[in-house]
Amino acid sequence: MKLVVVSAGLSVPSSTRLLADRLAAETTAQASADVEVEVVELRDLAVEIAHNFTNGFPGRKLAAALDAVAGADGLIVVTPVFSASYSGLFKSFFDVLDQDALTGKPVLIAATGGSARHSLVLEHALRPLFAYLRAVVVPTAVYAASEDWGAEGLPERVERAAGELAALMTGLSAARPAASEAPAKAEAGGFEVIPFAEQLAALRPTG
């Protein structure tokens, strides 16, 4: 399985990237299959994202990042809070992504900020954005304020959210038909219908 991490942190080192790395490590640890992790740092793509808006074509690095996100089995997205919302760079990246790229894709949303008062950005900004993109957003979102680092609560939220993402990735990957089976079904003109109860069972954590 492939996990892509999108980090919109601007500084080096970045608390946004630190949270992204923790979520990725925990998701990998809880997954029941091997997970390949790829990190997309949006600050390295800022110029190409701006050019994409003006000329309509992604540069080489941006095109590779967009392909990685579209081909991922799961996604972790982390943004710093700017003006009580996600950053402009974060939103711009998903604005240039194909509108169908995230359909049905499991996504873990997270954010960092200087104050716990901005934690609602996850529910009033990020969750609606990815719902609009038809992604499957995991129930637990993770917000890390400055005072959360090293304090109780953050590790537990990271563990819970990562477990939900790992379960979704594993369940959807197992439900996906094997490549060798797809042509035969296409030639037969048939469709496989998976009962809803079986779909829920596939997504339920096994631990």
Side-chain angles (χ1 to χ4, degrees):
M1 295 188 297
K2 183 174 182 179
L3 173 65
V4 173
V5 181
V6 177
S7 171
L10 299 178
S11 60
V12 181
S14 163
S15 60
T16 300
R17 174 61 189 271
L18 177 60
L19 179 58
D21 288 343
R22 287 194 180 184
L23 289 166
E26 187 63 34
T27 301
T28 301
Q30 295 199 44
S32 59
D34 292 337
V35 177
E36 174 192 352
V37 179
E38 180 175 346
V39 179
V40 175
E41 283 277 13
L42 296 188
R43 71 167 179 270
D44 298 333
L45 303 173
V47 173
E48 291 193 16
I49 291 173
H51 286 168
N52 196 158
F53 279 111
T54 58
N55 62 26
F57 297 97
R60 179 176 57 83
K61 291 182 179 179
L62 176 58
L66 296 174
D67 287 344
V69 169
D73 294 295
L75 200 62
I76 294 173
V77 298
V78 192
T79 178
V81 174
F82 280 84
S83 301
S85 188
Y86 36 64
S87 72
L89 180 60
F90 181 87
K91 179 60 162 56
S92 295
F93 176 77
F94 289 100
D95 281 345
V96 300
L97 182 69
D98 183 272
Q99 63 179 358
D100 296 321
L102 299 186
T103 300
K105 195 179 302 294
V107 176
L108 191 167
I109 56 174
T112 58
S115 168
R117 290 174 295 182
H118 291 302
S119 61
L120 286 177
V121 69
L122 294 165
E123 302 304 326
H124 75 69
L126 269 78
R127 195 177 295 276
L129 170 63
F130 288 96
Y132 173 78
L133 295 172
R134 300 189 296 278
V136 180
V137 185
V138 303
T140 302
V142 181
Y143 180 83
S146 299
E147 62 265 27
D148 287 328
W149 298 103
E152 294 183 1
L154 180 59
E156 290 77 12
R157 294 198 301 274
V158 167
E159 181 179 2
R160 184 167 63 250
E164 292 167 356
L165 179 61
L168 273 173
M169 289 175 61
T170 302
L172 292 177
S173 178
R176 188 178 300 123
S180 59
E181 297 176 0
K185 291 179 180 178
E187 290 173 6
F191 296 91
E192 180 181 15
V193 178
I194 301 176
F196 184 63
E198 292 185 19
Q199 296 180 44
L200 288 179
L203 299 180
R204 190 173 297 124
T206 57

